Amino acid sequence: MANTYVSTTNACKMCTPMGAALVFKGIENAVPFLHGSQGCATYMRRYIISHYREPVDIASSALGEKSAVYGGGPNLKKGILNVMRKYDVDLVGVATTCLTETIGDDVGRYLYEFREEFADLPLPELVHVSTPSYSGTHMEGWHAAVRSLADQVVKEKGASHGGVNLLPGFLSPADYRFLRGLGERSGVRFTMLPDLSRTMDGVIWDDYHSLPDGGTPVADIRAMGGAAGTIEFGMSGGLAESASGVLERKFGVPARKTMIPIGLRATDAFMDTLSEFAGCDMPEKDAFDRGRLLDAMVDGHKYIFGKRAVVYGEEDFVIAMCSFLGEIGVQPVLAATGTQGERFREAVTEALGDVCVNMPVIRSGADFKDIEEEAAELAPDLLVGHSKGYKLARASNIPLIRVGFPIHDRFGGQRILHVGYEGALSLYDMLVNAVLEKSQDECPVGYGYL
Amino acid sequence: MNKTILEERKSQMHRIGEEPFAMACNRPSLAGAVSQRACVFCGSRVVLYPIADALHLVHGPIGCATYTWDIRGAISSGPQLHRLSFSTDLQEMDVIFGGEKKLEASLRELIGLHNPKAAFVYSTCIVGLIGDDLEAVCRRVSEDTGITVLPVMSEGFKGNKREGYAAACKAMFRLVGTGDTTGISPMSVNILGDFNLAGETWIVREYFKKMGVETVANITGDGRVDDIRRCHGAALNLVQCSGATMELAKMMEEKYGIPYQRVSYLGVEDMADSLYKVADFFSDRDPEIKAKTVELVRGELSVLMPKLAELRRDLEGKKVAMYVGGSFKAFSLVKAFRHLGMSVVVVGSQTGTEEDYKELAAISDPGTIIVDDANPLELAQFIKEKDVDVFVGGVKERPIAYKLGVGFCDHNHERKIALEGFIGMYNFAREIHASVMSPIWRFMPRRNARPATSARVTCIPKEAVNG
Ligand code: SF4
Ligand code: SF4
């Protein structure tokens, strides 16, 4: 067990409202609105833009000293009106910050008053979520925002439509694109919440758009009560607290949690759940991709068997990534996440139980100082995680496979596909090639054949 | 103007020649306007970050520290402590019962681990609210550890970046005057307000060295605590960057009688002017210095100018928009672009003062749009209205230009290419050239009848996808 420190050095997490802001970026014609001082919104925009390279407008109530003392209600209302003036918004997603949580602003009440005061205006859907960063990370913020959307936007069960609600969690736009495609291929009506496939990886414009195209339409969110079931990715939290749990409790929509479908077994499980809910067969493309994945696993197994990997990032992402690494014969030696979570240990152990003999060191609430110290003992061959691990990779001369968020030092982070058989295949290629590149670089003979 | 410009924002923009000069600025950002501005904390962090042998501890919840982890291009010739991100990562209980204990424990732990020359503790919004007594904690830890620990009162909501600069200067000023000044040359300067992005401070120091001028402290690029302690022994302060370190220079003038001069190392004229200013200042101490400086500038220009002329051939007549943090930089850039045959038609800043904007208006061409504290929709509109070829800004501005198919040049604290000095001018020109001359702009839908993608024209009907 490594040391535990009072302070955090090089955090492996971001703050709560950022997760919420990203969720709202995945809703059609929505503007994320941070209720707090200006800096938070600007910092997050900068951080997010570096990864996605897309416009990311996040409004702020831009509180100053006075509002910090007397409450931020007036600024919040004025801010929403300004957003309405400038953007054709269907939804404004208001997330609190540490500041407004601490002064105890009651955002729900402010929004209620706002709706009364401006009842004569065509008001957008106003959703609020409580996201103090002193209790949680960007992932708690993410889940809280999805839950708020399910709770506040879905008002009635509505007509049954036989579709499937899909709550994928924090994935790359390429992943959302893949899942949309799966919906189309399988003929299942997916309501994916959120959907960052186009909003955070868009096309060039001929004129400036105040908001990007794409995202989950608000009308579709409203209709989620009539779905045949909800599939929510992620094994780290319970159902009761989650958005799928809310839909089940309120409207009787059956909820199921599955691992993020990274790798063979997790994708199999997801496909099975999907056909169970929607009665569809696996699309031919995916069936072929599954075969190709197995074929590649056979072709490449010798190169990576027994390699040792350090995996870090968002907890659900790490759990699923460990599962995949385990099944291709890579030994995860450290699974680390910045989030504090009870279930993380259990879920990693479960994911690896039938493919790995040895369990990795499992750390929640970790920062990069912890990860570095653990890694020094564990002598890994590979680092698997976002770009903030580069410092460690450079210092220890271990290849870093960049996946997840954020990727600030490479191009195309938004186009990395992690999920589905297709995603597993491209991850597999990346992993094998990283190992080959390293052995080629270090080999005294510059060889041209394997 | 259309609805992208809010009524309340109109007084913060001005078109030269169309109306008498009047410009509102230094106001709090408007709620809901999606300002490009950060906060007080950001201002302090920017200024102090490059002090490489100090510990920089962010007292607050995690985000403020996460988003500032090693994001600057400020490099150090020695210690790298500034590149780590330390935070007290306040949790709910700390917020309820106060964060002083955790702060104190964190400080002791980190000082033990890293043995820094000094420590800066940044206060964030929430700390201002819960009322932790930073001063007292810092004093206690200083006394026990022998390491100077300085609070930086940078609560984000207390204003904009400018207040952050001031808070940083106040903290640094407590170091000034605590070191031994023996052996400092009478021909010596401090470099204030340069951040050694991609090694820029080293370029400037080298020029001074050639002129026979000693640099006592770089404040704060490639900064060292001990240099700052003794920097009151220098004969002259050179202040770059309009807001960041002016306050420190003024305080040093008042207390130690050290005069200061405003300088800029960006662009050909401003770089040369700055060197001549220094030469003038020291000319009675060293009658040779003017000649040496002329020689230096001539040598540099003889290499630079032919190379610039080559690039200028392509760039002549192109139009530029820029949106920068401090407006002082904008003056230099306007002039630098003239050297390339280009005209700046839109110029804005996050934190300009009224005098800054007045001065900017005076050197800009008629029709130029000047804007304070802009937001993406306004900037996009100005880019389109003026049909610019290249936009200069920071990471947050980049997608605005790119979405419209307009070239972009990163000119912010994160850059990894040196843009200062004569070599920097060449780098800058090359970067602008690469931004403007790429053949890709020909394919952009805004300049071309052909749509960018079939997606917008024949996209899959929404019903088939979502509903
Ligand atoms: S104050 Fe809170 S919300 Fe704002 S950046 Fe810091 S951690 Fe994030
Ligand atoms: S919390 Fe305050 S100090 Fe931190 S980023 Fe937000 S505005 Fe700045």
Side-chain angles (χ1 to χ4, degrees):
Chain A
M1 185 78 190
N3 298 316
T4 46
Y5 295 101
V6 183
S7 53
T8 298
T9 300
N10 300 337
C12 185
K13 60 183 175 183
M14 290 144 260
C15 71
T16 330
M18 199 193 84
L22 276 166
V23 169
F24 295 129
K25 281 304 294 174
I27 312 298
E28 190 175 60
N29 298 325
V31 171
F33 190 114
L34 294 195
H35 185 40
S37 32
Q38 180 64 48
C40 310
T42 306
Y43 268 134
M44 285 175 223
R45 287 177 63 208
R46 188 233 155 262
Y47 205 81
I48 297 170
I49 289 172
S50 282
H51 174 89
Y52 294 99
R53 296 168 180 268
E54 291 287 332
V56 179
D57 289 11
I58 298 177
S60 164
S61 43
L63 298 186
E65 202 150 9
K66 261 201 217 115
S67 333
V69 177
Y70 299 111
N75 264 47
L76 175 63
K77 292 175 190 171
K78 190 166 151 199
I80 296 174
L81 284 176
N82 280 337
V83 166
M84 286 164 54
R85 271 184 211 129
K86 290 183 57 145
Y87 298 87
D88 282 319
V89 268
D90 294 343
L91 183 143
V92 178
V94 182
T96 52
T97 60
C98 305
L99 175 74
T100 47
E101 284 289 334
T102 310
I103 60 177
D105 266 6
D106 184 346
V107 173
R109 203 193 73 220
Y110 293 152
L111 294 184
Y112 175 80
E113 289 168 5
F114 183 86
R115 288 191 197 96
E116 304 271 293
E117 264 173 66
F118 300 102
D120 52 327
L121 298 177
L123 293 181
E125 190 76 53
L126 300 171
V127 175
H128 65 98
V129 52
S130 162
T131 43
S133 292
Y134 46 77
S135 51
T137 68
H138 61 299
M139 286 320 294
E140 272 90 358
W142 177 285
H143 294 306
V146 177
R147 190 170 60 236
S148 290
L149 284 161
D151 197 29
Q152 295 166 36
V153 180
V154 192
K155 288 172 183 117
E156 49 178 35
K157 179 155 178 59
S160 292
H161 52 70
V164 170
N165 302 323
L166 186 59
L167 312 177
F170 189 14
L171 299 175
S172 77
D175 291 327
Y176 294 104
R177 205 151 44 234
F178 170 84
L179 294 168
R180 279 173 63 118
L182 178 63
E184 286 157 32
R185 289 194 294 279
S186 61
V188 180
R189 169 181 162 156
F190 272 2
T191 302
M192 194 155 67
L193 180 68
D195 177 2
L196 299 172
S197 62
R198 286 202 279 164
T199 54
M200 298 305 280
D201 189 15
V203 301
I204 195 93
W205 292 341
D206 44 9
D207 193 1
Y208 202 78
H209 301 194
S210 60
L211 290 171
D213 296 332
T216 317
V218 173
D220 288 8
I221 305 177
R222 287 200 187 106
M224 284 172 91
T230 305
I231 304 176
E232 181 161 6
F233 293 164
M235 305 306 279
S236 59
L239 269 181
E241 277 299 292
S242 68
S244 57
V246 166
L247 293 172
E248 182 167 67
R249 178 165 48 77
K250 284 170 77 171
F251 308 113
V253 183
R256 189 77 61 80
K257 281 208 155 194
T258 66
M259 200 184 289
I260 298 176
I262 297 177
L264 181 73
R265 294 169 306 156
T267 306
D268 283 349
F270 166 53
M271 291 290 182
D272 290 348
T273 312
L274 184 61
S275 58
E276 192 186 311
F277 276 152
C280 61
D281 291 330
M282 193 192 304
E284 196 178 317
K285 176 205 178 285
D286 301 85
F288 268 109
D289 285 345
R290 188 176 192 280
R292 285 195 188 96
L293 173 61
L294 288 173
D295 195 62
M297 284 177 167
V298 172
D299 291 343
H301 71 279
K302 274 199 177 68
Y303 306 120
I304 52 168
F305 176 80
K307 296 291 175 208
R308 300 157 63 80
V310 162
V311 191
Y312 59 85
E314 282 96 39
E315 47 185 347
D316 283 322
F317 191 83
V318 171
I319 295 164
M321 193 54 80
C322 283
S323 159
F324 171 55
L325 291 171
E327 72 196 15
I328 59 173
V330 174
Q331 170 70 53
V333 288
L334 170 65
T337 182
T339 303
Q340 298 279 1
E342 296 301 310
R343 284 196 33 89
F344 181 61
R345 170 173 304 277
E346 237 172 84
V348 172
T349 312
E350 216 175 280
L352 288 171
D354 58 338
V355 286
C356 279
V357 183
N358 301 314
M359 282 303 132
V361 175
I362 299 172
R363 295 277 316 245
S364 52
D367 61 14
F368 275 98
K369 179 150 183 74
D370 299 324
I371 295 173
E372 267 165 46
E373 285 180 2
E374 295 281 8
E377 306 274 303
L378 295 166
D381 303 295
L382 295 164
L383 301 177
V384 181
H386 52 73
S387 69
K388 300 299 165 192
Y390 175 63
K391 201 178 149 283
L392 170 60
R394 184 179 164 113
S396 53
N397 191 27
I398 303 168
L400 167 62
I401 315 298
R402 288 171 176 79
V403 286
F405 175 94
I407 295 178
H408 283 157
D409 64 346
R410 283 291 183 278
F411 190 69
Q414 69 277 54
R415 290 183 285 274
I416 297 174
L417 180 64
H418 310 86
V419 303
Y421 305 116
E422 194 187 327
L425 191 50
S426 66
L427 288 178
Y428 191 78
D429 289 344
M430 277 162 76
L431 285 160
V432 174
N433 284 330
V435 171
L436 292 178
E437 186 178 335
K438 173 126 166 118
S439 57
Q440 192 177 22
D441 285 351
E442 287 173 354
C443 172
V445 188
Y447 58 82
Y449 285 95
L450 288 179
Chain B
M1 293 189 202
N2 63 16
K3 73 172 197 170
T4 56
I5 291 167
L6 295 166
E7 201 51 46
E8 290 108 305
R9 292 258 325 122
K10 284 187 182 162
S11 60
Q12 281 170 274
M13 44 198 82
H14 173 80
R15 280 154 205 268
I16 295 174
E18 287 180 18
E19 59 231 78
F21 183 81
M23 195 70 190
C25 54
N26 217 3
R27 284 185 180 174
S29 297
L30 182 63
V34 192
S35 165
Q36 305 292 91
R37 265 186 191 166
C39 59
V40 181
F41 165 67
C42 172
S44 296
R45 196 83 173 93
V46 174
V47 173
L48 298 176
Y49 171 88
I51 303 176
D53 54 358
L55 181 92
H56 299 269
L57 172 61
V58 181
H59 185 33
I62 200 64
C64 318
T66 296
Y67 305 132
T68 50
W69 176 13
D70 204 23
I71 65 170
R72 312 274 163 214
I75 50 178
S76 161
S77 52
Q80 304 289 335
L81 192 53
H82 67 307
R83 300 186 61 187
L84 303 182
S85 166
F86 301 111
S87 168
T88 48
D89 191 1
L90 291 183
Q91 299 298 308
E92 187 138 25
M93 285 302 133
D94 307 318
V95 173
I96 297 169
F97 297 112
E100 289 177 23
K101 276 213 187 82
K102 192 170 192 188
L103 172 62
E104 185 163 340
S106 295
L107 271 171
R108 288 179 195 279
E109 170 181 279
L110 290 169
I111 287 172
L113 280 168
H114 299 282
N115 193 29
K117 286 282 184 178
F120 292 100
V121 179
Y122 302 77
S123 170
T124 58
C125 286
I126 203 168
V127 171
L129 280 180
I130 60 178
D132 280 1
D133 188 350
L134 252 63
E135 190 69 55
V137 175
C138 290
R139 195 179 333 111
R140 259 200 312 276
V141 177
S142 278
E143 277 162 14
D144 291 359
T145 60
I147 303 285
T148 309
V149 183
L150 297 165
V152 186
M153 303 317 282
S154 53
E155 294 86 350
F157 59 80
K158 291 206 166 143
N160 64 33
K161 240 173 159 178
R162 296 187 80 86
E163 280 81 15
Y165 296 154
C169 287
K170 273 191 199 118
M172 268 191 294
F173 192 59
R174 293 167 67 165
L175 282 177
V176 175
T178 60
D180 180 12
T181 58
T182 46
I184 293 177
S185 158
M187 302 234 316
S188 56
V189 296
N190 294 314
I191 298 178
L192 272 68
D194 194 74
F195 303 110
N196 201 37
L197 306 174
E200 290 174 337
T201 306
W202 302 332
I203 297 174
V204 177
R205 276 185 77 127
E206 193 56 33
Y207 295 151
F208 291 143
K209 198 169 151 200
K210 285 187 180 151
M211 291 160 57
V213 174
E214 177 187 340
T215 304
V216 180
N218 325 310
I219 302 170
T220 53
D222 194 16
R224 296 293 182 276
V225 170
D226 285 343
D227 292 346
I228 299 174
R229 286 186 190 281
R230 67 197 289 266
C231 73
H232 59 298
L236 175 67
N237 275 335
L238 297 172
V239 185
Q240 186 183 234
C241 186
S242 51
T245 49
M246 188 52 99
E247 186 118 347
L248 182 66
K250 285 185 180 155
M251 290 189 280
M252 283 175 71
E253 181 173 50
E254 205 168 290
K255 182 153 178 195
Y256 301 103
I258 304 171
Y260 67 84
Q261 281 182 350
R262 286 178 86 161
V263 291
S264 164
Y265 313 124
L266 294 167
V268 179
E269 280 118 325
D270 284 0
M271 183 67 241
D273 278 351
S274 301
L275 296 178
Y276 290 139
K277 268 189 194 170
V278 175
D280 277 345
F281 184 85
F282 289 119
S283 57
D284 48 352
R285 288 176 217 187
D286 175 11
E288 308 280 282
I289 192 169
K290 273 201 121 154
K292 270 191 266 181
T293 310
V294 170
E295 174 76 9
L296 168 70
V297 172
R298 188 178 296 143
E300 293 283 340
L301 290 187
S302 68
V303 180
L304 173 66
M305 294 317 268
K307 292 206 266 182
L308 283 190
E310 218 169 280
L311 298 171
R312 184 182 163 125
R313 269 202 293 280
D314 290 335
L315 296 174
E316 194 89 54
K318 305 277 186 197
K319 287 181 283 183
V320 186
M322 67 168 98
Y323 189 72
V324 292
S327 50
F328 200 60
K329 181 158 88 183
F331 304 139
S332 294
L333 290 178
V334 168
K335 291 184 232 165
F337 275 116
R338 285 204 182 121
H339 259 284
L340 299 174
M342 302 169 75
S343 56
V344 175
V345 290
V346 179
V347 47
S349 97
Q350 289 174 25
T351 56
T353 61
E354 204 181 333
E355 294 109 75
D356 292 341
Y357 287 122
K358 231 182 239 161
E359 210 174 313
L360 203 50
I363 64 162
S364 297
D365 298 329
T368 303
I369 298 172
I370 300 187
V371 58
D372 177 60
D373 187 19
N375 55 59
L377 295 186
E378 289 169 9
L379 292 171
Q381 188 183 316
F382 297 147
I383 290 175
K384 285 190 310 187
E385 183 189 321
K386 293 289 182 183
D387 196 20
V388 305
D389 300 282
V390 65
F391 185 23
V392 180
V395 175
K396 293 188 302 292
E397 284 78 49
R398 187 172 57 204
I400 303 168
Y402 280 176
K403 279 294 175 198
L404 285 168
V406 167
F408 185 81
C409 167
D410 263 297
H411 204 306
N412 66 356
H413 282 276
E414 290 147 49
R415 63 181 192 256
K416 306 291 183 288
I417 304 174
L419 301 180
E420 289 181 0
F422 300 105
I423 173 72
M425 178 65 198
Y426 179 56
N427 293 341
F428 176 65
R430 275 209 318 195
E431 168 142 9
I432 293 294
H433 188 264
S435 312
V436 175
M437 297 311 294
S438 170
I440 61 163
W441 306 124
R442 282 180 236 168
F443 314 122
M444 295 300 127
R446 248 178 87 240
R447 301 182 190 278
N448 189 308
R450 193 181 143 138
T453 163
S454 52
R456 264 173 61 76
V457 194
T458 58
C459 63
I460 308 155
K462 210 191 273 169
E463 303 75 61
V465 181
N466 280 312

